[in-house]
Amino acid sequence: QVQLVQSGAEMKKPGASVKVSCKTSGYTFTNYYIHWVRQAPGQGLEWVGWINSNRGNTTSAQKFQGRVTMTRDTSISTAYMELHSLKSDDTAVYYCARDHLGSAEYWGQGTLLIVSS
Amino acid sequence: EIVLTQSPATLSVSPGERATLSCRASQSVGRHLAWYQQKPGQTPRLLIYGVSTRATGVPARFSASGSGTEFTLNISGLQSEDFAVYYCQQYNNWPTWTFGQGTKVEIK
């Protein structure tokens, strides 16, 4: 069955960087794109960006451009999202999700990031 | 950027009744719209894609319609497990996504 398993919770100080992983299984990794979505406490869903799992090209939301790096390792079917220059309002649950005809059919379990001094 | 506005913010409905949720786009998204359900502490679940196609395993009491800038999600015969937050999402300018702010369906 399709699974997306994310790395564990992180606590970082402002200005630091964090790298979240999303290990996939149950399907051919390079056949589906991966999106990253975040959700601040008590708030709605916010799209962070997308990676073409096959070619490795990426697109991010304008507010994250220059601050987010998305990569993948096809040998281990894993996608990564690295967020730099962390601020307190980056505190959120970060999800990876597999693209399905433009929507998100499968989601990772989420990774809680707390940014605090 | 396409902005999605959902209404109402909160909808109070009695079990067994029908809920109607709205999603309005700031510009046309064609038929590139999806709906998700999220319960507290859980990941979002895809309900509908392509405006009206139910995702695998989604009960028939969930239906959706619309095109262009106006979209609706209907839940008929609300059951206890349907009380949740619902988000619309557009992918007309894929791969860029945007989400609505959500509608909370609560027990009346």
Side-chain angles (χ1 to χ4, degrees), chain B residues 37-86:
Chain B
Q37 175 194 68
Q38 188 178 32
K39 299 178 183 179
Q42 296 188 17
T43 62
R45 172 196 179 193
L46 177 65
L47 295 177
I48 302 283
Y49 62 93
V51 173
S52 58
T53 302
R54 282 189 297 275
T56 304
V58 175
R61 65 180 181 273
F62 291 91
S63 63
S65 61
S67 66
T69 62
E70 300 281 346
F71 301 90
T72 300
L73 173 69
N74 288 293
I75 314 170
S76 60
L78 268 159
Q79 299 189 6
S80 57
E81 62 264 32
D82 300 333
F83 293 96
V85 179
Y86 293 83

Side-chain angles (χ1 to χ4, degrees), chain A residues 35 47 50 59-61, chain B residues 89-98:
Chain A
H35 293 261
W47 183 74
W50 159 96
T59 300
S60 61
Chain B
Q89 173 236 332
Q90 70 80 26
Y91 48 98
N92 189 61
N93 53 340
W94 184 93
T96 300
W97 290 355
T98 51

Side-chain angles (χ1 to χ4, degrees), chain A residues 6 13 23 28 42 53 55 58-59 62 68 79 83-85 90-92 98 100 102 104:
Chain A
Q6 298 183 224
K13 294 190 183 302
K23 182 169 179 57
T28 301
S53 307
R55 297 172 58 192
T58 64
T59 300
Q62 194 164 6
V68 68
L83 191 60
H84 310 280
S85 303
D90 290 320
T91 294
R98 192 186 86 167
H100 169 68

Side-chain angles (χ1 to χ4, degrees), chain A:
Chain A
Q1 71 282 22
V2 174
Q3 286 191 308
L4 287 75
V5 179
Q6 298 183 224
S7 48
E10 301 266 11
M11 181 173 287
K12 297 290 183 181
K13 294 190 183 302
S17 297
V18 69
K19 190 171 186 176
V20 179
S21 66
C22 173
K23 182 169 179 57
T24 71
S25 60
Y27 71 97
T28 301
F29 178 72
T30 51
N31 284 356
Y32 295 85
Y33 308 133
I34 293 289
H35 293 261
W36 292 90
V37 176
R38 77 176 187 181
Q39 187 170 37
Q43 303 301 308
L45 302 171
E46 180 177 32
W47 183 74
V48 175
W50 159 96
I51 183 166
N52 180 326
S53 307
N54 184 34
R55 297 172 58 192
N57 53 303
T58 64
T59 300
S60 61
Q62 194 164 6
K63 71 179 288 185
F64 298 105
Q65 287 178 8
R67 212 161 63 89
V68 68
T69 304
M70 290 169 287
T71 57
R72 91 281 187 235
D73 184 338
T74 58
S75 69
I76 56 171
S77 302
T78 300
Y80 302 92
M81 183 213 62
E82 190 168 16
L83 191 60
H84 310 280
S85 303
L86 291 171
K87 302 171 283 187
S88 58
D89 61 5
D90 290 320
T91 294
V93 175
Y94 289 76
Y95 295 101
C96 60
R98 192 186 86 167
D99 189 282
H100 169 68
L101 301 176
S103 55
E105 183 180 23
Y106 292 98
W107 294 70
Q109 83 276 20
T111 296
L112 174 63
L113 168 65
I114 296 174
V115 182
S116 173
S117 55

